[in-house]
Amino acid sequence: MAKIIVVTSGKGGVGKTTSAAAIATGLAFKGHKTVVIDFDVGLRNLDLIMGCERRVVYDLINVIQGEAGLNQALIRDKRVENLHILPASQTRDKDALTIEGVERVLDTLSEDFDYIVCDSPAGIERGAQLAMYFADEAVVVTNPEVSSVRDSDRMLGLLSSKTRRAEQGQEPIKEHLLITRYSPDRVTSGDMLNLDDIREILAIPLIGLIPESEAVLRASNQGVPVTHDQQSDAGQAYSDTVDRLLGEDKPLRFHEQQKRGFLSRMFGGGRR
Amino acid sequence: MSLELDAEQVAFTFKGGMLPLTVIELASGNIERIEAQLSGKISQSPAFFQHTPVVIGLERLPDEPLALDQLCAMLRRHRLLPVAVRGGNDAIKQSAWALGIGWFPPQEGRAQPVVEPVPVAPLPEEAPPLELRSGRIFRGTVRSGQQVSAPRGDLVVVGAVNAGAEILAAGSIHVYGPLRGRALAGIHGDQDAAVFCHELDAELLSVAGNYKRLEDIPPDLLGKSVQVRMVEDQLEISAFEPLRV
Ligand SMILES: Nc1ncnc2c1ncn2[C@@H]1O[C@H](COP(=O)(O)OP(=O)(O)OP(=O)(O)O)[C@@H](O)[C@H]1O
Ligand SMILES: [Mg+2]
């Protein structure tokens, strides 16, 4: 039986797709058979970030509507063993996603995979609710700003009521807070909320903190999830996150303002 | 057709119920005056005047003539639904029935038991006494978009009430944690209700429809442990003084 993890946020553009790709990649690196599913029907971003956009033939909706088999739609990652991508459709109508269809796909995938990572669309509508409905765990992606924290709070409310686990009175979804695009400098200058404030408001365990990083941009332009870039701060932070998801105890990094050394001050270098 | 026609398939059953109802206890029979006061209340808390059923209480003016039909029409214009009259003389009783609403005998003070039972079936035997189950304790975080209410008693929240969340109670509200959302106590008009919280950062505070928005709250009270109550018809927020030893 696979563990189903939804990556969600409410607010758009906070780093859900980046995180879903990075976490799925990290899980596969650790030897777990993983599939990452794009629920963002109509936008289709995950395949770009995973660098497999040219290999898409069939998608989630084709499978749900019975036009293709799962094996035809699943794309095998070229870089990491054990990693598969189930893309979304760019052309189809969102309404083609049905709860029964999603359940069938997840049930089938559950037999073969250890982890199913669901990349949720933004918002709190149908698409986002379908992405979270069958989840066992949720990674709530939050940026250090008031509106993002507010939306994550809203999402946590929905996770505790609008999911199969909640509706059937089973053990609640395990919720994890993932703070992304964190910039200690901007927190210190007061432009952004600090870590403790976010944790206090959302009141769920922190699974990771990803710094604002150029490595993420570079990675998404190259179509290589940032977890591959273990030289980078963001890549390391995502690896830590995956380790914690797997139950390891890892100290928090990248949350404090960097004390710049003499050389980097001289040459204006920052973290890369 | 189905094979069995047993008791499960009756078209209805009578159920006992105790529903929370707002009573508009009139101190005057002058409809214009009532309307003027009502307009003020409604603009303060429009959410509580959305086809809310109300009972017109006439205990305080038993023998005054009253244009019940006009009163009901005015209430309906303001999105209140008069469902019954309580008290008043025989003429009032007759005109209530003519208007298609119910009539209850007057309630004479709390201590005295009501002589005639009100036409509501008694509570089922297994139900605990009303006092024991009217309040509510909520443990955890009330999150943005969530609403927690105690429509018949006090509400206690052991945890935080986040911005965008709303908590409501017929009685008082106690929050053992930060109050960042909206808190409305005395939603059926109880002026003695109050809001208590450990850390004030509320978007809205209301007691019996009298409210203050975050903007109206004196900044020096923010973050403090406070009580919010009606003092001489004004909503008053006061910080609990730290204990001096
Ligand atoms: N840690 C980071 N540092 C810098 N940029 C980042 C970081 N995380 C995400 N971004 C950038 O933010 C943008 C949005 O990221 P992403 O597409 O992952 O968000 P999303 O939540 O999936 O958006 P949507 O709601 O549209 O699906 C992208 O341009 C991405 O490169
Ligand atoms: Mg996305």
Side-chain angles (χ1 to χ4, degrees), chain A residues 150 153-154 156-157 160 200-204, chain B residues 141 143-146 162-164 178 180 203:
Chain A
R150 178 82 68 98
D153 192 45
R154 184 83 213 271
L156 286 165
S160 66
E200 209 228 273
I201 294 173
L202 295 178
I204 57 167
Chain B
T141 306
R143 301 195 179 275
S144 177
Q146 291 184 325
N162 277 350
R180 309 184 180 107
E203 292 171 315

mmCIF file of all heavy atoms in Angstrom, chain A residues 150 153-154 156-157 160 200-204, chain B residues 141 143-146 162-164 178 180 203:
data_model
loop_
_atom_site.group_PDB
_atom_site.id
_atom_site.type_symbol
_atom_site.label_atom_id
_atom_site.label_comp_id
_atom_site.label_asym_id
_atom_site.label_seq_id
_atom_site.Cartn_x
_atom_site.Cartn_y
_atom_site.Cartn_z
ATOM 1 N N ARG A 150 -2.456 32.800 5.844
ATOM 2 C CA ARG A 150 -3.906 32.764 5.996
ATOM 3 C C ARG A 150 -4.521 31.668 5.133
ATOM 4 O O ARG A 150 -5.377 30.903 5.578
ATOM 5 C CB ARG A 150 -4.474 34.134 5.598
ATOM 6 C CG ARG A 150 -5.977 34.224 5.660
ATOM 7 C CD ARG A 150 -6.472 34.492 7.061
ATOM 8 N NE ARG A 150 -6.123 35.804 7.514
ATOM 9 C CZ ARG A 150 -6.960 36.851 7.473
ATOM 10 N NH1 ARG A 150 -8.171 36.713 6.996
ATOM 11 N NH2 ARG A 150 -6.590 38.024 7.921
ATOM 12 N N ASP A 153 -3.818 28.267 6.519
ATOM 13 C CA ASP A 153 -4.691 28.016 7.667
ATOM 14 C C ASP A 153 -6.052 27.505 7.177
ATOM 15 O O ASP A 153 -6.615 26.544 7.696
ATOM 16 C CB ASP A 153 -4.842 29.329 8.438
ATOM 17 C CG ASP A 153 -5.493 29.133 9.799
ATOM 18 O OD1 ASP A 153 -5.092 28.195 10.500
ATOM 19 O OD2 ASP A 153 -6.387 29.912 10.150
ATOM 20 N N ARG A 154 -6.546 28.161 6.125
ATOM 21 C CA ARG A 154 -7.821 27.768 5.526
ATOM 22 C C ARG A 154 -7.752 26.325 5.003
ATOM 23 O O ARG A 154 -8.651 25.518 5.222
ATOM 24 C CB ARG A 154 -8.097 28.739 4.364
ATOM 25 C CG ARG A 154 -9.408 28.573 3.678
ATOM 26 C CD ARG A 154 -10.491 29.278 4.434
ATOM 27 N NE ARG A 154 -11.754 28.584 4.307
ATOM 28 C CZ ARG A 154 -12.632 28.789 3.346
ATOM 29 N NH1 ARG A 154 -12.412 29.699 2.443
ATOM 30 N NH2 ARG A 154 -13.749 28.103 3.304
ATOM 31 N N LEU A 156 -5.785 23.983 6.057
ATOM 32 C CA LEU A 156 -5.728 23.044 7.181
ATOM 33 C C LEU A 156 -7.129 22.758 7.707
ATOM 34 O O LEU A 156 -7.445 21.636 8.103
ATOM 35 C CB LEU A 156 -4.832 23.596 8.293
ATOM 36 C CG LEU A 156 -3.338 23.530 7.972
ATOM 37 C CD1 LEU A 156 -2.524 24.398 8.927
ATOM 38 C CD2 LEU A 156 -2.858 22.092 8.036
ATOM 39 N N GLY A 157 -7.975 23.783 7.669
ATOM 40 C CA GLY A 157 -9.369 23.570 8.052
ATOM 41 C C GLY A 157 -10.038 22.565 7.127
ATOM 42 O O GLY A 157 -10.747 21.661 7.567
ATOM 43 N N SER A 160 -8.989 18.972 7.603
ATOM 44 C CA SER A 160 -9.563 18.298 8.764
ATOM 45 C C SER A 160 -11.051 18.012 8.596
ATOM 46 O O SER A 160 -11.672 17.432 9.469
ATOM 47 C CB SER A 160 -9.320 19.125 10.027
ATOM 48 O OG SER A 160 -10.040 20.333 9.938
ATOM 49 N N GLU A 200 3.635 29.542 15.001
ATOM 50 C CA GLU A 200 2.660 29.760 16.068
ATOM 51 C C GLU A 200 1.241 29.822 15.509
ATOM 52 O O GLU A 200 0.312 29.234 16.060
ATOM 53 C CB GLU A 200 3.000 31.050 16.807
ATOM 54 C CG GLU A 200 2.553 31.005 18.247
ATOM 55 C CD GLU A 200 1.811 32.240 18.649
ATOM 56 O OE1 GLU A 200 2.470 33.197 19.065
ATOM 57 O OE2 GLU A 200 0.570 32.239 18.563
ATOM 58 N N ILE A 201 1.084 30.518 14.383
ATOM 59 C CA ILE A 201 -0.263 30.657 13.815
ATOM 60 C C ILE A 201 -0.770 29.325 13.281
ATOM 61 O O ILE A 201 -1.902 28.924 13.546
ATOM 62 C CB ILE A 201 -0.274 31.723 12.702
ATOM 63 C CG1 ILE A 201 0.006 33.099 13.297
ATOM 64 C CG2 ILE A 201 -1.615 31.716 11.966
ATOM 65 C CD1 ILE A 201 0.192 34.191 12.283
ATOM 66 N N LEU A 202 0.060 28.619 12.540
ATOM 67 C CA LEU A 202 -0.445 27.399 11.897
ATOM 68 C C LEU A 202 -0.452 26.190 12.834
ATOM 69 O O LEU A 202 -1.245 25.265 12.645
ATOM 70 C CB LEU A 202 0.343 27.108 10.621
ATOM 71 C CG LEU A 202 0.145 28.186 9.543
ATOM 72 C CD1 LEU A 202 0.975 27.882 8.318
ATOM 73 C CD2 LEU A 202 -1.333 28.306 9.159
ATOM 74 N N ALA A 203 0.382 26.227 13.837
ATOM 75 C CA ALA A 203 0.342 25.217 14.892
ATOM 76 C C ALA A 203 0.369 23.769 14.393
ATOM 77 O O ALA A 203 -0.385 22.923 14.867
ATOM 78 C CB ALA A 203 -0.878 25.444 15.790
ATOM 79 N N ILE A 204 1.202 23.497 13.378
ATOM 80 C CA ILE A 204 1.437 22.104 12.973
ATOM 81 C C ILE A 204 2.951 21.918 12.867
ATOM 82 O O ILE A 204 3.688 22.887 12.735
ATOM 83 C CB ILE A 204 0.758 21.740 11.625
ATOM 84 C CG1 ILE A 204 1.224 22.668 10.502
ATOM 85 C CG2 ILE A 204 -0.756 21.770 11.744
ATOM 86 C CD1 ILE A 204 0.836 22.168 9.118
ATOM 87 N N THR B 141 -7.201 24.449 17.248
ATOM 88 C CA THR B 141 -7.144 25.734 16.565
ATOM 89 C C THR B 141 -8.387 25.911 15.704
ATOM 90 O O THR B 141 -8.727 25.027 14.927
ATOM 91 C CB THR B 141 -5.893 25.771 15.662
ATOM 92 O OG1 THR B 141 -4.745 25.449 16.451
ATOM 93 C CG2 THR B 141 -5.697 27.146 15.052
ATOM 94 N N ARG B 143 -9.638 27.517 12.598
ATOM 95 C CA ARG B 143 -8.875 28.038 11.478
ATOM 96 C C ARG B 143 -9.692 28.942 10.579
ATOM 97 O O ARG B 143 -10.921 28.925 10.615
ATOM 98 C CB ARG B 143 -8.304 26.866 10.666
ATOM 99 C CG ARG B 143 -7.406 25.979 11.522
ATOM 100 C CD ARG B 143 -6.575 25.065 10.699
ATOM 101 N NE ARG B 143 -5.695 24.237 11.512
ATOM 102 C CZ ARG B 143 -4.498 24.620 11.942
ATOM 103 N NH1 ARG B 143 -4.033 25.823 11.636
ATOM 104 N NH2 ARG B 143 -3.754 23.816 12.671
ATOM 105 N N SER B 144 -8.971 29.692 9.747
ATOM 106 C CA SER B 144 -9.595 30.600 8.788
ATOM 107 C C SER B 144 -10.686 29.863 8.012
ATOM 108 O O SER B 144 -10.453 28.768 7.513
ATOM 109 C CB SER B 144 -8.521 31.110 7.832
ATOM 110 O OG SER B 144 -9.093 31.930 6.861
ATOM 111 N N GLY B 145 -11.872 30.452 7.914
ATOM 112 C CA GLY B 145 -12.961 29.826 7.173
ATOM 113 C C GLY B 145 -13.808 28.900 8.023
ATOM 114 O O GLY B 145 -14.848 28.438 7.584
ATOM 115 N N GLN B 146 -13.366 28.610 9.245
ATOM 116 C CA GLN B 146 -14.166 27.732 10.107
ATOM 117 C C GLN B 146 -15.030 28.557 11.052
ATOM 118 O O GLN B 146 -14.694 29.676 11.410
ATOM 119 C CB GLN B 146 -13.251 26.819 10.931
ATOM 120 C CG GLN B 146 -12.534 25.793 10.083
ATOM 121 C CD GLN B 146 -11.710 24.825 10.919
ATOM 122 O OE1 GLN B 146 -11.139 25.206 11.938
ATOM 123 N NE2 GLN B 146 -11.633 23.590 10.462
ATOM 124 N N ASN B 162 -7.941 31.701 14.807
ATOM 125 C CA ASN B 162 -7.122 32.413 13.832
ATOM 126 C C ASN B 162 -7.907 33.436 13.023
ATOM 127 O O ASN B 162 -9.136 33.371 12.938
ATOM 128 C CB ASN B 162 -6.455 31.409 12.893
ATOM 129 C CG ASN B 162 -5.173 30.834 13.495
ATOM 130 O OD1 ASN B 162 -4.697 31.323 14.526
ATOM 131 N ND2 ASN B 162 -4.625 29.818 12.868
ATOM 132 N N ALA B 163 -7.190 34.353 12.407
ATOM 133 C CA ALA B 163 -7.804 35.360 11.548
ATOM 134 C C ALA B 163 -8.630 34.656 10.475
ATOM 135 O O ALA B 163 -8.200 33.640 9.935
ATOM 136 C CB ALA B 163 -6.728 36.221 10.910
ATOM 137 N N GLY B 164 -9.826 35.185 10.206
ATOM 138 C CA GLY B 164 -10.683 34.554 9.211
ATOM 139 C C GLY B 164 -11.594 33.489 9.802
ATOM 140 O O GLY B 164 -12.448 32.956 9.108
ATOM 141 N N PRO B 178 -4.738 32.906 21.783
ATOM 142 C CA PRO B 178 -4.904 34.162 21.052
ATOM 143 C C PRO B 178 -6.229 34.193 20.279
ATOM 144 O O PRO B 178 -6.612 33.202 19.665
ATOM 145 C CB PRO B 178 -3.710 34.195 20.097
ATOM 146 C CG PRO B 178 -3.153 32.824 20.060
ATOM 147 C CD PRO B 178 -3.630 32.083 21.267
ATOM 148 N N ARG B 180 -7.722 35.876 17.229
ATOM 149 C CA ARG B 180 -7.353 36.687 16.062
ATOM 150 C C ARG B 180 -8.518 36.835 15.095
ATOM 151 O O ARG B 180 -8.472 37.625 14.174
ATOM 152 C CB ARG B 180 -6.188 36.040 15.313
ATOM 153 C CG ARG B 180 -4.997 35.685 16.197
ATOM 154 C CD ARG B 180 -3.831 35.143 15.390
ATOM 155 N NE ARG B 180 -2.704 34.809 16.233
ATOM 156 C CZ ARG B 180 -2.327 33.562 16.533
ATOM 157 N NH1 ARG B 180 -2.980 32.526 16.030
ATOM 158 N NH2 ARG B 180 -1.289 33.349 17.317
ATOM 159 N N GLU B 203 -10.444 40.370 14.955
ATOM 160 C CA GLU B 203 -10.934 41.151 13.819
ATOM 161 C C GLU B 203 -12.245 41.847 14.176
ATOM 162 O O GLU B 203 -12.548 42.927 13.693
ATOM 163 C CB GLU B 203 -11.182 40.226 12.616
ATOM 164 C CG GLU B 203 -9.926 39.640 12.044
ATOM 165 C CD GLU B 203 -10.213 38.571 11.008
ATOM 166 O OE1 GLU B 203 -11.089 37.711 11.248
ATOM 167 O OE2 GLU B 203 -9.555 38.582 9.968
#
